[in-house]
Amino acid sequence: MVKAIEAYGIPVVHIATVVPISQTVGANRIVPAIAIPHPLGNPALTHEEEKEIRKKIVNKALEALQTPVEDQTVFEWK
Amino acid sequence: MSKLRVVHYINQFFANIGGEEKADYQPELREGFVGPGMAFNQNKEFADEAEIVATVICGDSYFNENVDSALETVMGMIKSQNPDLVICGPAFNAGRYGVACGTVAAAVNKAGIPAITGMYKENPGADMFKKEVYIISTKNSAAGMRDAVKKMAPLAIKVAKGEAIGASAEEGYLPNGIRKNFFEKKRGSQRAVEMLIKKLADKEFETEYEMPSFDRVAPGEAIKDMSKAKIALVTSGGIVPKGNPDHIESSSASKYGQYDISMFTDLTAETHETAHGGYDPVYANADADRVLPVDVIKEYIEEGKIGSLHQYYYATVGNGTAVASAKKYATEIGKKLVDDHVDAVILTST
């Protein structure tokens, strides 16, 4: 899906838990997520702490979208 | 002669431990066969020469989220059995299971023990590992178990005994790019003409050299000023308005949905849920922002960090959905996003 949308020239950042799958499929900008059932959350934390992590990930995704890339790039936030 | 000692690697589902709610199941070693191992032990060709002496079980999410430690534990369990051969799966079209099977089989091979696995050709684990391990090409669901075992059993025995392995088309494994020199009965020019005649007559022909498909897309240009950019959210994590109005299927989705989020600043258990099967939906149902971060994006817009969020988000279910379908949906979605002047997309996957 990432590729078919990006084929129109729109930059796409893929927030994905299993980064190797995202790389194999061919996403260009990848931000690692937390876990499969809750990629942008962590139910073990308080609501506030969880939102802080979500902000961190989205922030990294925005940074990725503003970063020129030529090859597949993983943007780590941890 | 004593039989070849085989260790079988399977996931929590095939071990009958549970579905997605048990996908965080930690590695466990059991004596003898479990679940699909029975099909191997009952296969005559296999049973004449080999026997599954132990089974290692691991939850798919646990494996993929803790690859290093999970692999270490699994390898320890496998080695403790002194196997002559390791069989992983088959994983069919289960993505995380396929990656786990490929990872384990590759590591076992590296440790000097023969290993094979099986999966559907579109399983992401197939592309990742087909050059490192023999992966029998299977159907896309467990309904193909009998057929898979029929092909995996003889190849497994050959690999374990170090016998010569035939071409991928003969043995049934996914092409791994290895070529061998041999003498054809007919010379090249004759074969080429015969192939051309078949092609012209619209008859089936088999290429002797598959062209690789470099399916890559050039990265979109970076956004210069995010505070003016219009962002759209897309997800394969199945987030839909409560009640799943379009009835998007929990697996092998036949459609995607377009949903208005302009009036939401926070997704809650009352407003949204996930239609996605194959992962434990409890966390996404309780707070869909965990998959589709609407709350944070809206906050960033308030702060002026992001220009705006596109009125609609798009969602489908990634679970077992064919690559061709995903491509079709995204091509339609992308067209709409272009028409609506969206500058960038955040796509989340579970």
Side-chain angles (χ1 to χ4, degrees), chain A residues 8 14 40 50-51 54 59, chain B residues 290 295 299 305 331 349:
Chain A
Y8 289 97
H14 192 201
L40 287 113
E50 197 181 1
K51 202 159 168 189
R54 182 149 61 245
N59 209 21
Chain B
R290 285 168 173 157
D295 59 345
E299 242 183 82
K305 204 170 163 137
T331 302
S349 289

Side-chain angles (χ1 to χ4, degrees), chain B residues 45 119 132:
Chain B
E45 223 176 318
M119 62 190 81
E132 290 178 67

Side-chain angles (χ1 to χ4, degrees), chain B residues 204-261:
Chain B
E204 258 187 60
F205 63 95
E206 208 170 312
T207 177
E208 291 184 14
Y209 185 68
E210 195 88 41
M211 296 311 286
S213 56
F214 292 110
D215 192 11
R216 286 287 184 260
V217 166
E221 231 177 278
I223 299 297
K224 295 208 173 65
D225 186 355
M226 193 53 81
S227 70
K228 293 203 176 72
K230 184 176 179 182
I231 301 285
L233 284 172
V234 179
T235 186
S236 65
I239 301 302
V240 291
K242 186 88 180 169
N244 190 7
D246 293 324
H247 308 290
I248 297 180
E249 299 87 345
S250 62
S251 160
S252 303
S254 69
K255 57 188 108 134
Y256 65 91
Q258 166 180 315
Y259 305 110
D260 195 339
I261 31 167

Side-chain angles (χ1 to χ4, degrees), chain A residues 29-47:
Chain A
R29 293 176 170 91
I30 303 167
V31 173
I34 295 171
I36 288 151
H38 44 83
L40 287 113
N42 185 351
L45 305 174
T46 67
H47 189 72

